[in-house]
Amino acid sequence: MTGRRSEVREPQQDRSRATRQRLLESTIELLAVHGWAGSTVAEVAEHAGVSRGAAQHHYPTREDLITGALEYMFDGRMTELRGGAAEIGAGPSRTLHVVQGVVDHFTGNLFKAALQVWTAAAADEQLRARIVPLEAKFGRHAHRTTIEMLGADDADPVVHTLVQATLDMARGLGLADVLTDDSARRERIVRQWADTLHTALDSAGAGRSRP
Amino acid sequence: MTGRRSEVREPQQDRSRATRQRLLESTIELLAVHGWAGSTVAEVAEHAGVSRGAAQHHYPTREDLITGALEYMFDGRMTELRGGAAEIGAGPSRTLHVVQGVVDHFTGNLFKAALQVWTAAAADEQLRARIVPLEAKFGRHAHRTTIEMLGADDADPVVHTLVQATLDMARGLGLADVLTDDSARRERIVRQWADTLHTALDSAGAGRSRP
């Protein structure tokens, strides 16, 4: 009997997981393309091909859906970033690869969706209370991932601050790409910054712990 | 008679200018504090203590009012920035002063207001068509002002790109300050960035043209 029950439960769990995934991916896409006003629960459910009732079963409020989507996509991007970094060697090409990966992270649909949420949260106390701790977590996670990818020593205050600055610059480059395709200008900045960062990290003595 | 007409006209021109100024300042304040949805022409007119009819006389559409406000405030900020730079000397303290000034520019109400407009424009073709050329103009103007303040040689591609990167980082720091007070972290980044930028500009040979 236990066997039969788990056979029945498994496919339903798979279906639920697939439904949630479609809802989360639709949320990010609609936020990025149609903005805050164009991504209500009803619109997300329709885009995902899910009934509104089913959407609300999984995510009772719009805030639940949006924070769930940001978290799901962020975790996925960080895993991808880490995976890509494992393949590369050491030296300046590694720094360039890491800066490029971090900047790519801030110029995709996830960033464009998050920007819509942050901007809405700036004038919405209730949403802000949900987003601020999530943002802090994303910030810490992105910092730790970048440090690991660089093989740098975060205990060195210069290294710590330069990696923070790199993430801030990547965020600024993301913002510059929202209304127009900024990729040509961005490529020059990524190359120059990777070069400057590599020199600065080396002279900070971070080179000692880098492979 | 000409004399009398100009006497009558002058105070009216002054009143019109004062009305426009109140409308433009109210637009920036409402956008920064209440967001895109909370800054319609009616709300701006009420905040400015101007009738809706008078507001529409000066700015026929919401887009006219918003682009007018961004332009007016941006020009004012650039003039302030330049004025501040005239008082300082040379060397690393000058670079720090310039980086600080640029970052301050991106963390005030003007940036917060502009962020609301960019984010709305991302999902609004008509608004985007008005904002993109304005943004390009602001970008060129901010770059030129920063180069002048640094006394740097923009013809050097390394200098040009590092100044661009500085503006991108400042924009990213502005975004990090929208939901929480990020000033303590920002101060460390500004100091480190100024230091790294100064070293990089010097080794790019930009030192030759700097006072």
Side-chain angles (χ1 to χ4, degrees):
Chain A
M1 183 151 171
T2 313
R4 264 189 72 204
R5 269 176 64 193
S6 78
E7 270 167 39
V8 175
R9 210 189 299 125
E10 285 275 15
Q12 197 183 324
Q13 284 182 342
D14 287 351
R15 277 201 304 279
S16 283
R17 196 181 301 120
T19 300
R20 282 198 298 272
Q21 196 171 328
R22 281 208 306 282
L23 284 167
L24 299 177
E25 284 166 358
S26 291
T27 302
I28 298 299
E29 195 180 329
L30 289 191
L31 277 168
V33 177
H34 298 299
W36 178 256
S39 51
T40 60
V41 173
E43 281 158 316
V44 169
E46 196 192 330
H47 186 268
V50 171
S51 76
R52 189 161 172 183
Q56 281 174 331
H57 167 72
H58 291 291
Y59 302 99
T61 68
R62 190 183 184 195
E63 284 74 18
D64 294 331
L65 179 62
I66 282 171
T67 54
L70 292 176
E71 204 143 16
Y72 168 77
M73 296 297 281
F74 181 83
D75 290 347
R77 287 293 294 125
M78 285 296 125
T79 307
E80 276 175 42
L81 257 179
R82 276 215 182 85
E87 295 156 23
I88 47 156
S93 71
R94 176 181 183 137
T95 309
L96 175 60
H97 185 95
V98 174
V99 171
Q100 185 69 65
V102 167
V103 169
D104 285 349
H105 169 66
F106 281 98
T107 46
N109 266 2
L110 172 58
F111 176 80
K112 288 178 174 66
L115 183 64
Q116 294 288 335
V117 179
W118 294 331
T119 308
D124 178 338
E125 275 303 326
Q126 207 178 330
L127 182 61
R128 187 198 296 234
R130 292 285 297 265
I131 295 303
V132 165
L134 197 66
E135 262 308 298
K137 192 186 116 180
F138 288 175
R140 284 191 305 270
H141 197 153
H143 182 90
R144 204 166 49 235
T145 301
T146 309
I147 286 283
E148 280 173 27
M149 287 162 61
L150 287 168
D153 177 14
D154 200 36
D156 182 322
V158 172
V159 172
H160 178 87
T161 308
L162 284 174
V163 167
Q164 291 268 303
T166 301
L167 290 164
D168 286 304
M169 193 205 56
R171 200 183 298 116
L173 286 170
L175 193 49
D177 198 61
V178 167
L179 298 184
T180 50
D181 175 3
D182 189 42
S183 52
R185 188 187 75 95
R186 184 167 65 243
E187 200 193 319
R188 289 192 296 275
I189 292 174
V190 164
R191 290 191 173 274
Q192 179 58 54
W193 177 244
D195 192 46
T196 304
L197 177 66
H198 191 80
T199 305
L201 290 178
D202 264 355
S203 77
R208 284 193 302 272
S209 69
R210 301 170 84 208
Chain B
M1 182 145 173
T2 313
R4 263 190 72 206
R5 271 175 63 195
S6 78
E7 270 168 39
V8 175
R9 209 189 301 126
E10 285 275 15
Q12 198 184 324
Q13 283 182 343
D14 287 349
R15 275 201 305 278
S16 284
R17 194 180 302 121
T19 299
R20 282 198 298 274
Q21 194 170 327
R22 280 209 307 281
L23 285 167
L24 299 177
E25 284 167 358
S26 291
T27 302
I28 298 300
E29 195 180 329
L30 288 191
L31 278 168
V33 177
H34 298 299
W36 178 255
S39 52
T40 60
V41 174
E43 281 158 315
V44 169
E46 195 191 330
H47 186 269
V50 170
S51 76
R52 191 162 171 182
Q56 281 174 330
H57 166 73
H58 291 292
Y59 301 99
T61 70
R62 190 182 183 194
E63 285 75 17
D64 294 331
L65 179 61
I66 282 171
T67 53
L70 292 177
E71 203 142 18
Y72 167 78
M73 296 297 281
F74 181 84
D75 289 347
R77 288 293 294 127
M78 285 296 126
T79 306
E80 274 175 43
L81 258 180
R82 276 215 181 84
E87 295 157 22
I88 46 155
S93 69
R94 177 180 182 140
T95 309
L96 176 60
H97 185 96
V98 173
V99 171
Q100 186 68 66
V102 167
V103 169
D104 287 348
H105 170 64
F106 282 97
T107 45
N109 265 2
L110 172 58
F111 175 80
K112 289 178 172 66
L115 182 64
Q116 294 288 335
V117 179
W118 294 331
T119 309
D124 178 338
E125 275 303 326
Q126 206 179 332
L127 182 61
R128 188 198 294 238
R130 291 286 295 267
I131 296 301
V132 165
L134 197 66
E135 262 307 298
K137 192 185 117 181
F138 287 175
R140 284 192 303 271
H141 197 155
H143 182 91
R144 202 165 53 235
T145 301
T146 309
I147 287 283
E148 281 174 25
M149 285 161 61
L150 287 168
D153 177 14
D154 200 36
D156 181 320
V158 173
V159 172
H160 179 86
T161 307
L162 284 174
V163 168
Q164 290 268 302
T166 300
L167 290 164
D168 286 304
M169 192 208 54
R171 201 183 296 115
L173 286 170
L175 194 48
D177 197 62
V178 166
L179 298 186
T180 50
D181 175 2
D182 189 42
S183 52
R185 187 187 74 97
R186 183 166 67 241
E187 200 193 319
R188 289 192 297 274
I189 294 175
V190 164
R191 290 190 174 276
Q192 181 58 54
W193 182 276
D195 193 46
T196 303
L197 177 66
H198 191 80
T199 305
L201 289 179
D202 264 356
S203 75
R208 285 194 300 274
S209 70
R210 302 173 81 207

